Coordinates of all heavy atoms in Angstrom, one line a residue:
Chain B
V799 N -0.6 -17.7 -11.6 CA -0.5 -16.7 -12.7 C -1.9 -16.5 -13.3 O -2.6 -17.5 -13.7 CB 0.5 -17.2 -13.8 CG1 0.5 -16.2 -14.9 CG2 1.9 -17.3 -13.2
F800 N -2.3 -15.3 -13.3 CA -3.7 -14.9 -13.8 C -3.5 -14.4 -15.2 O -3.0 -13.3 -15.4 CB -4.3 -13.9 -12.9 CG -4.6 -14.4 -11.5 CD1 -3.7 -14.5 -10.6 CD2 -5.9 -14.7 -11.2 CE1 -3.9 -15.0 -9.3 CE2 -6.3 -15.2 -9.9 CZ -5.3 -15.3 -9.0
E801 N -4.0 -15.1 -16.2 CA -4.0 -14.6 -17.5 C -5.2 -13.6 -17.7 O -5.2 -12.7 -18.5 CB -4.1 -15.7 -18.5 CG -2.8 -16.6 -18.5 CD -2.9 -17.6 -19.6 OE1 -4.0 -18.0 -20.0 OE2 -1.8 -18.1 -20.0
E802 N -6.2 -13.8 -16.9 CA -7.3 -12.8 -16.8 C -7.5 -12.5 -15.3 O -7.5 -13.4 -14.5 CB -8.6 -13.4 -17.4 CG -8.5 -13.6 -18.9 CD -9.9 -14.2 -19.4 OE1 -10.2 -15.3 -18.9 OE2 -10.5 -13.6 -20.2
N803 N -7.8 -11.3 -15.1 CA -8.1 -10.8 -13.7 C -9.2 -9.8 -13.7 O -9.0 -8.7 -14.0 CB -6.8 -10.3 -13.0 CG -7.0 -9.8 -11.6 OD1 -8.1 -9.9 -11.1 ND2 -6.0 -9.2 -11.0
P804 N -10.4 -10.3 -13.4 CA -11.5 -9.3 -13.4 C -11.4 -8.1 -12.6 O -11.9 -7.0 -12.9 CB -12.7 -10.2 -12.9 CG -12.3 -11.6 -13.1 CD -10.8 -11.6 -12.9
L805 N -10.6 -8.2 -11.5 CA -10.4 -7.0 -10.6 C -9.7 -5.9 -11.4 O -9.9 -4.7 -11.1 CB -9.6 -7.4 -9.4 CG -10.3 -8.3 -8.4 CD1 -9.4 -8.4 -7.1 CD2 -11.7 -7.8 -8.0
A806 N -8.7 -6.3 -12.2 CA -7.8 -5.3 -12.8 C -8.1 -5.0 -14.2 O -7.3 -4.5 -15.0 CB -6.4 -5.8 -12.6
D807 N -9.3 -5.3 -14.7 CA -9.7 -5.1 -16.1 C -9.6 -3.6 -16.4 O -10.4 -2.8 -16.0 CB -11.1 -5.6 -16.3 CG -11.2 -6.4 -17.6 OD1 -10.2 -6.6 -18.3 OD2 -12.4 -6.8 -17.9
F808 N -8.7 -3.3 -17.3 CA -8.5 -1.9 -17.8 C -8.2 -0.9 -16.8 O -8.5 0.3 -16.9 CB -9.7 -1.5 -18.6 CG -9.9 -2.3 -19.9 CD1 -11.0 -3.2 -20.0 CD2 -9.0 -2.1 -20.9 CE1 -11.1 -3.9 -21.2 CE2 -9.2 -2.8 -22.1 CZ -10.2 -3.7 -22.2
V809 N -7.5 -1.4 -15.7 CA -7.2 -0.4 -14.7 C -5.9 0.4 -15.1 O -5.0 -0.2 -15.7 CB -6.8 -1.2 -13.4 CG1 -6.0 -0.3 -12.4 CG2 -8.1 -1.7 -12.7
E810 N -5.9 1.7 -14.8 CA -4.7 2.5 -15.0 C -4.3 3.0 -13.6 O -5.2 3.6 -12.9 CB -5.0 3.6 -16.0 CG -5.0 3.2 -17.4 CD -5.0 4.3 -18.4 OE1 -4.7 5.5 -18.0 OE2 -5.3 4.1 -19.6
L811 N -3.1 2.7 -13.2 CA -2.7 3.2 -11.9 C -2.4 4.7 -11.9 O -2.2 5.3 -13.0 CB -1.4 2.4 -11.5 CG -1.6 0.9 -11.4 CD1 -0.3 0.2 -10.9 CD2 -2.7 0.5 -10.4
P812 N -2.4 5.3 -10.7 CA -2.0 6.7 -10.7 C -0.7 6.9 -11.3 O 0.3 6.1 -11.2 CB -2.0 7.0 -9.2 CG -2.8 5.9 -8.5 CD -2.7 4.7 -9.4
D813 N -0.5 8.1 -12.0 CA 0.7 8.4 -12.7 C 1.6 9.2 -11.8 O 2.0 10.3 -12.1 CB 0.3 9.2 -14.0 CG 1.5 9.4 -14.9 OD1 2.5 8.6 -14.7 OD2 1.5 10.3 -15.7
D814 N 2.0 8.6 -10.7 CA 2.9 9.3 -9.7 C 4.3 8.8 -9.7 O 5.1 9.2 -8.8 CB 2.2 9.3 -8.3 CG 2.1 7.9 -7.8 OD1 2.5 7.0 -8.5 OD2 1.7 7.8 -6.6
G815 N 4.6 7.9 -10.6 CA 6.0 7.3 -10.6 C 6.2 6.3 -9.5 O 7.3 5.8 -9.4
R816 N 5.2 6.0 -8.7 CA 5.4 5.1 -7.6 C 4.5 3.9 -7.6 O 4.8 2.8 -7.2 CB 5.3 5.8 -6.2 CG 6.4 6.9 -6.0 CD 6.0 7.8 -4.8 NE 5.7 7.0 -3.6 CZ 4.6 7.1 -2.9 NH1 3.7 7.9 -3.2 NH2 4.5 6.3 -1.9
A817 N 3.2 4.2 -8.1 CA 2.2 3.2 -8.0 C 2.5 1.9 -8.7 O 2.3 0.8 -8.1 CB 0.9 3.8 -8.5
Q818 N 3.1 2.0 -9.8 CA 3.4 0.7 -10.6 C 4.4 -0.2 -9.8 O 4.4 -1.4 -10.0 CB 3.9 1.1 -12.0 CG 2.9 1.7 -12.8 CD 3.0 1.4 -14.3 OE1 3.9 0.6 -14.7 NE2 2.3 2.1 -15.2
E819 N 5.3 0.4 -9.1 CA 6.2 -0.3 -8.3 C 5.6 -0.8 -6.9 O 5.9 -1.8 -6.4 CB 7.5 0.5 -8.1 CG 8.3 0.7 -9.3 CD 9.0 -0.6 -9.8 OE1 9.4 -1.4 -8.9 OE2 9.0 -0.8 -11.0
E820 N 4.9 0.1 -6.3 CA 4.6 0.0 -4.9 C 3.2 -0.5 -4.6 O 2.9 -1.1 -3.6 CB 4.8 1.3 -4.2 CG 6.3 1.8 -4.2 CD 6.4 3.1 -3.6 OE1 5.7 3.5 -2.6 OE2 7.3 3.9 -4.0
L821 N 2.2 -0.2 -5.5 CA 0.8 -0.6 -5.3 C 0.6 -2.0 -5.8 O 0.8 -2.3 -7.0 CB -0.1 0.3 -5.9 CG -1.6 0.0 -5.9 CD1 -2.1 -0.1 -4.4 CD2 -2.5 0.9 -6.7
W822 N 0.2 -2.9 -4.9 CA -0.2 -4.3 -5.3 C -1.7 -4.2 -5.5 O -2.5 -4.5 -4.6 CB 0.2 -5.3 -4.2 CG 1.7 -5.3 -4.0 CD1 2.6 -4.7 -4.8 CD2 2.4 -6.0 -3.0 NE1 3.9 -4.9 -4.2 CE2 3.8 -5.7 -3.1 CE3 2.0 -6.8 -1.9 CZ2 4.7 -6.2 -2.3 CZ3 2.9 -7.3 -1.0 CH2 4.3 -7.0 -1.2
Y823 N -2.1 -3.9 -6.7 CA -3.5 -3.5 -7.0 C -4.5 -4.6 -6.5 O -5.5 -4.3 -5.9 CB -3.7 -3.2 -8.5 CG -5.0 -2.7 -8.8 CD1 -5.4 -1.4 -8.6 CD2 -6.0 -3.6 -9.2 CE1 -6.6 -0.9 -8.8 CE2 -7.3 -3.1 -9.5 CZ -7.6 -1.8 -9.3 OH -8.9 -1.3 -9.5
S824 N -4.2 -5.8 -6.9 CA -5.2 -6.9 -6.6 C -4.9 -7.6 -5.3 O -5.3 -8.8 -5.1 CB -5.3 -7.9 -7.7 OG -5.6 -7.2 -8.9
N825 N -4.3 -6.9 -4.4 CA -3.8 -7.6 -3.1 C -4.9 -8.1 -2.3 O -4.7 -8.9 -1.4 CB -2.9 -6.6 -2.3 CG -1.9 -7.4 -1.5 OD1 -1.3 -8.4 -2.0 ND2 -1.7 -7.0 -0.2
I826 N -6.1 -7.7 -2.5 CA -7.2 -8.2 -1.8 C -7.3 -9.8 -2.0 O -7.7 -10.5 -1.0 CB -8.6 -7.6 -2.2 CG1 -9.6 -7.8 -1.1 CG2 -9.1 -8.0 -3.5 CD1 -10.9 -6.9 -1.3
L827 N -6.9 -10.2 -3.1 CA -7.0 -11.7 -3.4 C -6.0 -12.4 -2.5 O -6.2 -13.6 -2.1 CB -6.7 -12.0 -4.9 CG -7.7 -11.4 -5.9 CD1 -7.3 -11.8 -7.3 CD2 -9.1 -12.0 -5.6
S828 N -4.8 -11.8 -2.2 CA -3.9 -12.4 -1.3 C -4.6 -12.7 0.0 O -4.5 -13.8 0.6 CB -2.7 -11.5 -1.1 OG -2.0 -11.2 -2.3
G829 N -5.3 -11.6 0.5 CA -5.9 -11.8 1.8 C -7.0 -12.8 1.7 O -7.3 -13.5 2.7
V830 N -7.8 -12.8 0.6 CA -8.9 -13.8 0.5 C -8.3 -15.2 0.7 O -8.9 -16.0 1.4 CB -9.6 -13.6 -0.8 CG1 -10.6 -14.8 -1.0 CG2 -10.4 -12.3 -0.8
V831 N -7.3 -15.5 -0.1 CA -6.7 -16.9 0.0 C -6.2 -17.1 1.4 O -6.4 -18.2 1.9 CB -5.5 -17.0 -1.1 CG1 -4.8 -18.3 -0.9 CG2 -6.1 -16.9 -2.5
R832 N -5.5 -16.2 2.0 CA -4.9 -16.4 3.3 C -6.1 -16.6 4.3 O -6.0 -17.5 5.1 CB -4.2 -15.1 3.7 CG -3.4 -15.2 5.0 CD -2.4 -14.0 5.1 NE -3.1 -12.7 5.2 CZ -3.5 -12.2 6.3 NH1 -3.4 -12.8 7.4 NH2 -4.1 -11.0 6.3
G833 N -7.1 -15.8 4.3 CA -8.2 -16.0 5.2 C -8.9 -17.3 5.0 O -9.2 -18.0 6.0
A834 N -9.2 -17.7 3.8 CA -9.9 -18.9 3.5 C -9.1 -20.1 3.9 O -9.6 -21.0 4.6 CB -10.2 -19.0 2.0
L835 N -7.7 -20.1 3.7 CA -6.9 -21.2 4.1 C -6.8 -21.3 5.6 O -6.8 -22.4 6.1 CB -5.5 -21.1 3.4 CG -5.4 -21.3 1.9 CD1 -3.9 -21.1 1.5 CD2 -6.0 -22.6 1.5
E836 N -6.8 -20.2 6.2 CA -6.6 -20.2 7.7 C -7.8 -20.9 8.3 O -7.7 -21.6 9.3 CB -6.5 -18.8 8.2 CG -6.2 -18.7 9.7 CD -5.8 -17.4 10.2 OE1 -4.9 -16.8 9.6 OE2 -6.4 -16.8 11.1
M837 N -9.0 -20.7 7.7 CA -10.2 -21.3 8.2 C -10.2 -22.8 8.1 O -11.0 -23.5 8.7 CB -11.5 -20.8 7.6 CG -11.7 -19.3 7.8 SD -11.8 -18.9 9.6 CE -13.5 -19.3 9.8
V838 N -9.4 -23.4 7.2 CA -9.3 -24.8 7.1 C -7.9 -25.2 7.7 O -7.4 -26.3 7.3 CB -9.5 -25.3 5.7 CG1 -10.9 -25.1 5.2 CG2 -8.5 -24.7 4.7
C839 N -7.5 -24.4 8.6 CA -6.3 -24.8 9.4 C -5.0 -24.9 8.6 O -4.1 -25.7 8.9 CB -6.5 -26.0 10.2 SG -7.8 -25.9 11.4
L840 N -4.9 -24.1 7.6 CA -3.7 -24.1 6.8 C -3.2 -22.6 6.8 O -3.7 -21.7 6.2 CB -4.0 -24.5 5.3 CG -2.9 -24.5 4.3 CD1 -1.8 -25.4 4.8 CD2 -3.4 -24.9 3.0
V841 N -2.1 -22.5 7.6 CA -1.6 -21.1 7.8 C -0.7 -20.8 6.6 O 0.2 -21.6 6.3 CB -0.7 -21.0 9.1 CG1 -0.1 -19.7 9.2 CG2 -1.6 -21.3 10.3
A842 N -1.0 -19.8 5.9 CA -0.3 -19.5 4.7 C 0.0 -18.0 4.6 O -0.6 -17.2 5.3 CB -1.1 -19.8 3.4
R843 N 1.0 -17.6 3.9 CA 1.3 -16.2 3.6 C 1.4 -16.1 2.1 O 1.9 -16.9 1.4 CB 2.6 -15.8 4.3 CG 2.4 -15.6 5.8 CD 3.6 -15.0 6.4 NE 3.4 -15.0 7.9 CZ 4.4 -14.7 8.7 NH1 5.6 -14.4 8.3 NH2 4.2 -14.7 10.0
S844 N 0.9 -15.0 1.7 CA 1.0 -14.7 0.2 C 1.4 -13.3 0.0 O 1.0 -12.4 0.8 CB -0.4 -15.0 -0.4 OG -1.4 -14.4 0.2
A845 N 2.1 -13.1 -1.0 CA 2.5 -11.7 -1.4 C 2.8 -11.7 -2.9 O 3.3 -12.6 -3.4 CB 3.8 -11.3 -0.6
A846 N 2.5 -10.6 -3.4 CA 2.7 -10.5 -4.9 C 2.6 -9.0 -5.3 O 2.1 -8.2 -4.6 CB 1.6 -11.2 -5.6

Side-chain angles (χ1 to χ4, degrees):
Chain B
V799 175
F800 292 77
E801 295 185 335
E802 292 181 301
N803 178 1
L805 292 186
D807 222 3
F808 293 110
V809 164
E810 286 191 13
L811 298 184
D813 188 21
D814 62 357
R816 296 168 54 233
Q818 292 209 9
E819 289 292 322
E820 298 177 30
L821 174 61
W822 299 351
Y823 185 82
S824 301
N825 208 41
I826 200 168
L827 294 182
S828 305
V830 170
V831 172
R832 188 167 63 85
L835 290 182
E836 188 170 305
M837 296 300 281
V838 292
C839 299
L840 178 58
V841 177
R843 287 188 184 168
S844 52

